[in-house]
Amino acid sequence: MNPGDRLPPLEVPITRTLIVAGAIASRDYQDVHHDPELARQKGSPDIFMNILTTNGLVGRYITDRFGPRAELRRVAIRLGAPNHPGDTMVLTGTVEAVDGDMVTVRVVGANGIGKHVTGTVTVRVPA
């Protein structure tokens, strides 16, 4: 890996089940993550994914690309456009830095309405 290298993209279908299961698994019982009517009452067109599910998907994206021995050391992300059911998020990554066995990757996850997640992940890749 060298700075500037691009990781292959990962397409993640955003299903209602993924959104609700992710919220339940992370014990995030906010109604906007499981109740479409209450989400609409709060100004959203539908339920939307929580940040903990997004964080898990970003981690999966990196470890899937760097292999089973990869160790996430730092994940720093920000949310933007929400992930709603029926859309697809495409995760992409670009290597920003390599220092020995540590690699820093800039990650972007975009959906049909914009950038859902942006940030950096530092991963240790043992030789």
Side-chain angles (χ1 to χ4, degrees), residues 4-78:
D5 286 354
R6 295 186 184 277
L7 279 59
L10 173 66
E11 291 189 10
V12 180
I14 306 303
T15 65
R16 192 166 300 279
T17 300
L18 175 62
I19 293 169
V20 174
I24 291 169
S26 60
R27 297 183 178 177
D28 183 347
Y29 303 116
Q30 292 291 317
D31 51 22
V32 293
H33 303 308
H34 66 84
D35 188 318
E37 184 54 39
L38 290 175
R40 281 190 280 281
Q41 287 176 18
K42 293 181 178 181
S44 179
D46 204 338
I47 64 172
F48 54 89
M49 185 175 284
N50 72 357
I51 192 168
L52 296 171
T53 304
T54 299
N55 194 64
L57 291 168
V58 167
R60 169 192 162 198
Y61 174 63
I62 296 299
T63 58
D64 280 0
R65 265 109 196 109
F66 285 91
R69 298 185 63 214
E71 302 168 7
L72 296 177
R73 292 301 179 105
R74 181 174 183 273
V75 178
I77 61 172
R78 296 183 75 145

Side-chain angles (χ1 to χ4, degrees), residues 75-93:
V75 178
I77 61 172
R78 296 183 75 145
L79 292 184
N83 270 339
H84 294 289
D87 207 341
T88 298
M89 177 175 63
V90 180
L91 289 162
T92 57

